[in-house]
Amino acid sequence: MKKYVDVIVPLPIASQYTYSLPSELEESVQEGCRVVVSFGRKKFYTAIVTRVHYTAPEGYETKDIEEVLDSSPVLLPKQFEFWKWLSTYYLCTLGDVYKAALPSGMKLESETVVVYNEEFEATHPLGDSEQRLLDLLSADKEQYVTQLQRSMGLKNILPVVKRLLDKEAIFVKEDIKRQYKPRTEARVRLANPNLDETGMMKLFDSMGRAKKQLTVLMKYVELSGWAGRGGHLKEVTKKELLEKAGATTTIFNGLVDKGVFEVYYQEIGRLQKSGITTSASHALNPAQQEAFTSILDNFRQKNVCLLHGVTSSGKTEIYIHLIEEALKAGKQVLYLLPEIALTTQITERLKRVFGSRLGVYHSKFPDAERVEIWQKQLGEEEYDVILGVRSSIFLPFKRLGLVIVDEEHENTYKQQDPAPRYHARSSAIMLASMYGAKVLLGTATPSVETYFNATNGKYGLVELKERYKDIQLPHIERVDIKELAHQKRMQGPFSPMLVKEIHDALDRKEQVILFQNRRGFAPMIECHTCGWVPKCKNCDVSLTYHKGLNVLTCHYCGCTYQVPRSCPACSGIELQHRGFGTERIEDDIKLIFPEAKVARMDLDTTRTRSAYEKIIADFEQGKTDILIGTQMVSKGLDFQNVSVVGILNADTMLNYPDFRSYERAFQLMAQVAGRAGRKNKQGLVILQTKSPDLPVIQQVIRNDYEQLYFDQLAERQLFRYPPYYRLIYVYLKHRKPDVLDLASETMAQHLRTGLGDRVLGPDKPPIARIQTLYIKKMIVKVEQTISMAKVRDYLLAVQRAIVEDERFRSLIVYYDVDPQ
């Protein structure tokens, strides 16, 4: 009886596909394994098997799968359940989830770019097809899989590519972008493993004249512990042997040529083997101990608990104690952070306690390292604690018992593009419920929805209102920069008070953080004569000037343009910079404080994993006096010597067209302020604004989260926003504005037929064209009492009807559920 498999392919396709199994592969396929399948015209993909069965599909003839890539599953049953929930809840396909979940190295496809590894040395003979592929790559170092396939005349070369990837003879393009080099180690052993003492003495005698070779051989005997009795030998690396013997590679190669030594390569892995001696966690102070006990009490009745603790109250130490409790119970822990920058500080802290039981997972790691972590989690010696950013929720877990979502309010937990547009906090809660695990949400400034759930009894609530070691919250001084600008007393973006306080802090050998939530030199350039502003040709946005590169950049599509010498509209040559980005702040602060050591932390200066670590380490060690940054500097970083924080312009956060703008502004300002005065003394925050009388500014000064929360609740109930209603944004994109207008109106009519006045729009979003595509947006507001399953089914049916309409070819339609 013929066997079939249902598979997911890494494409945005709604359904799964059925393939037949060749008889020789029937026994080797399991659910959760990867297989190579042909899809469409001459395209090959790595698919994942979700079901093995005997039912032939109706309506189409099945193709055979080409190859089985795994001997055991890489996708566990609970993970697959989680994937199905994500695709249903966030209105996307299983293929979207698969593409986001697995590291690139685990999903080879025809369009993968393969790169030759020039450092590769074969330890065993290669197969004919493997050698031919390497020969092709040695002539042209980077080629698409499809190019190689044509050159070799093979129907499918993905299995050959996979074998060479496993041997690290090649790597895929994503690795080369990250300058990844495979990590193996050359080790040395005797070519004759059965050599006895007599044989060794003869070997020594034969080298009477080759003194340097004899020295190397004797050093090997010493290092390996060889005693001629066939006992267990210590492994000796080639590097160690040459260093200890003071020999050159030429001398060593002579011994290999004589058949004395042979070299073999040992995979030492990219994952750090922790050499850190673990130490006990710190004892909790009375306030922390009370919070810790309350959390455990809450976990007896509720699966989710919010820890609302002011900045610098010692929440991380409570997390460490909770992790220890989970590990004692034989469970695994997932510790989520919103920002890669945070992992650099917290990793060291957790490693001191958990050592090699801790694994770190985020997108700045080379792809091969992420593959290795995934495979380790499937093995027998998996990590007990995973620390990572939002993508960590996709890792395989077998014994998950606790999920910690630190800084739970952060909008970076929400994936924007591409699909699945999931929120890691909500997804982590669902993932934990599938394992029967507990979830702790921690923050100084909870999201309104989370605090609503906690105060209404859906979640547990524990509050920690005093800072560690009774340090006072920083004093916040409000400065009206509108008035100062009228009086012409501003020094660029700096008020006289801020300049004085920075000066005093530097005199005291203390550090300063300056926060400006705009990168680049100037947000825009403007012609002084006619007001012309350069805009992106692909997007409806003004271009940001980056002085270091001397280019204008679009922060939406990444296009760069030369800086014009004159205005193309009026030929005027007075082109002025408008606004201040972090790059300009850095230039200006160096002019005012030439002796100070200044660093900048934004997207432009932290492209690599090591860049984050260096900036943060230098600031921690006092090598930097003033750190200038975007919202990266606000997120839970712990610096001992920061006494002054400057928020340069609060208004850029307040004037954003979004119902969450006041909530976000409060969170950002409170978090940035929390970086000041962390040890021994009260810090000072200079909050510069043109709107000093706004209620939210007063609430930040008083650290009055509760008042902000009640104000926001009243407003949101009135205008039908979360937590009282659920939101789904509907986006339509097309290259032709007239087609888009017709499609959006047609879709709005369909949606209103089933959902009535819950549908708002269509309207243009604030940025109505990105990457040459025009955009229309609708908002669907759904009461909490309505069945979301029925709403989702209806939305998907409308989406299908619109996309299948002949008039709307090339139209892109997608949903953003629970937008941030």
Side-chain angles (χ1 to χ4, degrees):
M1 200 172 185
K2 198 161 183 60
K3 253 188 185 180
Y4 298 90
V5 290
D6 293 345
V7 302
I8 313 169
V9 287
L11 296 168
I13 296 165
S15 53
Q16 296 181 50
Y17 283 82
T18 304
Y19 286 79
S20 45
L21 269 173
S23 55
E24 68 271 17
L25 296 178
E26 281 189 3
E27 298 307 312
S28 56
V29 169
Q30 300 177 52
E31 291 177 3
C33 284
R34 293 172 303 151
V35 293
V36 177
V37 298
S38 67
F39 191 87
R41 282 188 170 191
K42 299 179 182 175
K43 286 276 183 86
F44 290 92
Y45 291 95
T46 303
I48 290 191
V49 175
T50 59
R51 192 165 75 99
V52 182
H53 57 91
Y54 295 96
T55 311
E58 293 178 16
Y60 64 92
E61 195 174 324
T62 58
K63 297 178 186 177
D64 281 354
I65 67 165
E66 303 289 330
E67 185 85 15
V68 179
L69 297 180
D70 302 304
S71 56
S72 59
V74 297
L75 180 70
L76 303 177
K78 273 201 174 74
Q79 275 179 291
F80 183 47
E81 286 301 309
F82 181 54
W83 284 19
K84 287 193 284 190
W85 175 83
L86 278 167
S87 73
T88 304
Y89 187 85
Y90 290 105
L91 296 168
C92 63
T93 69
L94 273 170
D96 287 324
V97 180
Y98 168 26
K99 205 162 176 67
L102 260 70
S104 298
M106 295 179 74
K107 45 182 195 283
L108 296 171
E109 55 188 69
S110 301
E111 296 309 309
T112 299
V113 177
V114 178
V115 184
Y116 183 58
N117 176 15
E118 295 184 49
E119 296 183 2
F120 172 68
E121 290 180 33
T123 53
H124 300 288
L126 296 174
D128 289 344
S129 54
E130 293 170 1
Q131 191 59 59
R132 277 176 62 207
L133 194 148
L134 281 188
D135 290 344
L136 285 168
L137 279 172
S138 61
D140 182 0
K141 300 287 189 285
E142 292 185 17
Q143 296 185 52
Y144 282 108
V145 167
T146 40
Q147 286 173 273
L148 292 166
Q149 201 157 286
R150 279 195 299 272
S151 303
M152 290 181 69
L154 286 178
K155 182 185 173 190
N156 174 24
I157 65 161
L158 285 193
V160 184
V161 171
K162 169 157 189 307
R163 290 199 296 274
L164 287 172
L165 260 176
D166 291 343
K167 291 171 182 170
E168 297 183 333
I170 58 173
F171 33 83
V172 292
K173 181 67 175 177
E174 186 171 318
D175 289 332
I176 202 81
K177 280 181 191 164
R178 300 173 191 280
Q179 285 131 25
Y180 164 70
K181 289 187 178 177
R183 190 178 294 172
T184 56
E185 195 171 55
R187 296 187 180 176
V188 183
R189 60 188 168 210
L190 292 170
N192 178 4
N194 302 316
L195 198 68
D196 58 13
E197 287 185 31
T198 308
M200 183 63 80
M201 292 310 294
K202 283 181 181 175
L203 207 52
F204 285 160
D205 292 341
S206 70
M207 290 183 192
R209 292 184 183 175
K211 301 290 185 191
K212 291 182 178 176
Q213 288 185 353
L214 179 60
T215 304
V216 175
L217 179 58
M218 292 179 76
K219 183 54 70 175
Y220 171 80
V221 169
E222 178 193 328
L223 292 172
S224 65
W226 185 89
R229 292 188 296 275
H232 179 71
L233 298 181
K234 291 178 189 168
E235 293 205 331
V236 179
T237 69
K238 179 180 169 183
K239 182 182 175 185
E240 181 190 17
L241 179 59
L242 294 183
E243 281 177 1
K244 295 279 175 70
T248 63
T249 307
T250 309
I251 296 165
F252 175 82
N253 289 343
L255 285 162
V256 175
D257 294 341
K258 285 180 178 178
V260 176
F261 286 146
E262 68 178 23
V263 178
Y264 64 102
Y265 288 85
Q266 187 72 30
E267 167 67 66
I268 58 170
R270 301 162 196 85
L271 307 182
Q272 289 182 354
K273 308 289 188 286
S274 175
I276 299 169
T277 307
T278 56
S279 56
S281 53
H282 297 299
L284 300 177
N285 68 20
Q288 289 172 322
Q289 184 62 49
E290 189 181 334
F292 173 71
T293 308
S294 298
I295 291 165
L296 293 178
D297 289 344
N298 272 284
F299 278 160
R300 292 190 184 98
Q301 285 106 35
K302 295 186 168 68
N303 292 325
V304 184
C305 180
L306 168 65
L307 173 60
H308 180 199
V310 296
T311 53
S312 196
S313 55
K315 294 187 287 294
T316 308
E317 203 56 52
I318 295 173
Y319 301 156
I320 289 170
H321 280 70
L322 288 166
I323 293 169
E324 287 177 329
E325 288 291 313
L327 298 188
K328 281 178 198 167
K331 299 291 187 182
Q332 287 174 298
V333 179
L334 172 59
Y335 187 144
L336 287 177
L337 291 163
E339 190 74 61
I340 292 165
L342 273 177
T343 62
T344 56
Q345 272 204 335
I346 290 180
T347 300
E348 293 312 309
R349 201 161 161 188
L350 293 182
K351 273 197 172 166
R352 283 197 290 273
V353 182
F354 303 110
S356 57
R357 300 175 81 178
L358 173 76
V360 184
Y361 188 85
H362 60 60
S363 60
K364 281 285 192 290
F365 279 10
D367 186 69
E369 196 163 317
R370 284 182 284 148
V371 171
E372 201 165 307
I373 290 174
W374 189 289
Q375 289 168 341
K376 185 175 170 70
Q377 290 306 94
L378 291 165
E380 294 301 311
E381 297 180 10
E382 67 268 41
Y383 288 118
D384 292 322
V385 185
I386 288 286
L387 174 70
V389 290
R390 63 174 181 249
S391 56
S392 309
I393 61 168
F394 294 117
L395 281 169
F397 291 97
K398 298 175 190 169
R399 307 170 277 109
L400 189 63
L402 174 66
V403 179
I404 295 167
V405 185
D406 198 10
E407 309 294 349
E408 67 79 29
H409 64 278
E410 281 288 350
N411 63 332
T412 44
Y413 278 127
K414 180 76 157 91
Q415 162 78 7
Q416 301 299 340
D417 274 309
R421 294 170 181 83
Y422 67 98
H423 197 298
R425 179 188 62 217
S426 309
S427 304
I429 290 170
M430 178 51 67
L431 179 70
S433 72
M434 291 176 173
Y435 283 87
K438 303 297 183 185
V439 180
L440 181 69
L441 309 175
T443 177
T445 53
S447 68
V448 167
E449 291 96 318
T450 299
Y451 201 64
F452 180 81
N453 286 331
T455 51
N456 282 8
K458 184 177 178 181
Y459 301 163
L461 174 62
V462 175
E463 299 198 284
L464 190 57
K465 294 192 173 179
E466 61 184 63
R467 284 181 133 195
Y468 187 64
K469 294 188 176 173
D470 297 324
I471 299 160
Q472 292 176 283
L473 282 165
H475 172 68
I476 301 178
E477 197 68 55
R478 177 188 55 181
V479 177
D480 183 351
I481 55 175
K482 187 177 178 183
E483 185 61 33
L484 288 168
H486 280 312
Q487 297 169 7
K488 299 203 172 359
R489 292 177 58 206
M490 294 289 289
Q491 270 185 270
F494 310 112
S495 62
M497 177 186 280
L498 180 56
V499 173
K500 178 187 176 297
E501 293 298 340
I502 294 172
H503 196 284
D504 292 350
L506 296 177
D507 283 349
R508 297 191 300 267
K509 305 289 185 211
E510 293 168 347
Q511 291 172 302
V512 176
I513 290 177
L514 298 177
F515 171 70
Q516 173 72 349
N517 212 18
R518 283 252 176 92
R519 64 189 172 102
F521 187 82
M524 65 187 219
I525 287 178
E526 182 183 69
C527 173
H528 183 63
T529 310
C530 71
W532 170 82
V533 173
K535 291 196 170 182
C536 178
K537 65 181 180 187
N538 301 321
C539 314
D540 284 346
V541 289
S542 58
L543 298 168
T544 301
Y545 174 52
H546 288 256
K547 186 183 176 186
L549 301 168
N550 194 32
V551 292
L552 294 169
T553 304
C554 173
H555 287 170
Y556 284 84
C557 71
C559 263
T560 57
Y561 303 81
Q562 284 190 321
V563 181
R565 295 186 178 183
S566 61
C567 171
C570 72
S571 300
I573 55 168
E574 280 193 82
L575 297 176
Q576 299 178 327
H577 300 136
R578 292 287 184 209
F580 294 86
T582 47
E583 198 179 0
R584 187 169 178 182
I585 304 294
E586 184 182 20
D587 270 15
D588 289 357
I589 210 78
K590 284 176 177 175
L591 288 173
I592 301 171
F593 301 102
E595 301 300 313
K597 295 185 284 291
V598 181
R600 174 163 56 93
M601 188 159 83
D602 57 26
L603 196 60
D604 299 321
T605 62
T606 54
R607 297 281 179 192
T608 64
R609 162 183 167 192
S610 57
Y612 278 106
E613 292 166 1
K614 180 160 178 30
I615 293 167
I616 290 168
D618 284 355
F619 197 63
E620 273 183 319
Q621 293 161 21
K623 293 178 184 175
T624 307
D625 301 316
I626 301 173
L627 179 63
I628 299 158
T630 54
Q631 58 185 7
M632 288 179 186
V633 300
S634 72
K635 296 176 181 176
L637 294 167
D638 187 4
F639 299 120
Q640 311 290 332
N641 197 34
V642 175
S643 63
V644 175
V645 167
I647 298 171
L648 299 181
N649 191 347
D651 306 277
T652 54
M653 297 174 273
L654 297 167
N655 299 332
Y656 195 74
D658 185 278
F659 74 95
R660 285 197 174 91
S661 61
Y662 275 24
E663 175 192 358
R664 278 231 182 90
F666 179 92
Q667 288 165 343
L668 259 177
M669 288 189 276
Q671 292 285 345
V672 174
R675 303 313 111 214
R678 315 261 304 171
K679 292 283 183 315
N680 307 326
K681 58 175 284 188
Q682 186 180 28
L684 174 67
V685 178
I686 310 293
L687 196 164
Q688 298 185 165
T689 175
K690 293 173 186 170
S691 316
D693 298 323
L694 276 178
V696 68
I697 299 291
Q698 305 296 328
Q699 288 155 3
V700 170
I701 290 169
R702 298 194 305 270
N703 195 38
D704 190 352
Y705 174 80
E706 277 77 12
Q707 191 56 55
L708 171 97
Y709 169 71
F710 290 124
D711 288 355
Q712 289 296 300
L713 271 193
E715 205 171 278
R716 293 187 189 187
Q717 190 165 24
L718 188 63
F719 294 105
R720 300 199 297 178
Y721 279 112
Y724 300 103
Y725 283 72
R726 281 195 166 137
L727 294 187
I728 301 170
Y729 288 171
V730 187
Y731 288 98
L732 297 91
K733 295 183 177 181
H734 200 278
R735 295 193 189 281
K736 296 179 180 175
D738 52 337
V739 175
L740 181 66
D741 289 344
L742 179 60
S744 59
E745 288 299 338
T746 307
M747 187 168 183
Q749 286 170 12
H750 279 302
L751 289 175
R752 286 197 178 91
T753 303
L755 298 170
D757 66 355
R758 296 182 185 89
V759 181
L760 302 179
D763 289 310
K764 286 182 179 180
I767 296 162
R769 188 172 63 110
I770 295 177
Q771 295 179 350
T772 73
L773 293 171
Y774 292 89
I775 308 167
K776 281 290 183 79
K777 173 183 170 184
M778 287 176 268
I779 299 176
V780 180
K781 294 182 175 181
V782 185
E783 305 93 314
Q784 294 284 4
T785 51
I786 297 288
S787 164
M788 278 301 286
K790 287 180 180 175
V791 171
R792 281 194 286 268
D793 289 345
Y794 186 70
L795 290 172
L796 290 172
V798 171
Q799 183 182 16
R800 273 194 303 274
I802 293 296
V803 172
E804 288 167 6
D805 192 319
E806 281 293 313
R807 297 171 296 170
F808 308 134
R809 283 186 174 174
S810 307
L811 179 74
I812 298 168
V813 179
Y814 65 87
Y815 298 109
D816 186 2
V817 180
D818 299 339
Q820 288 295 303

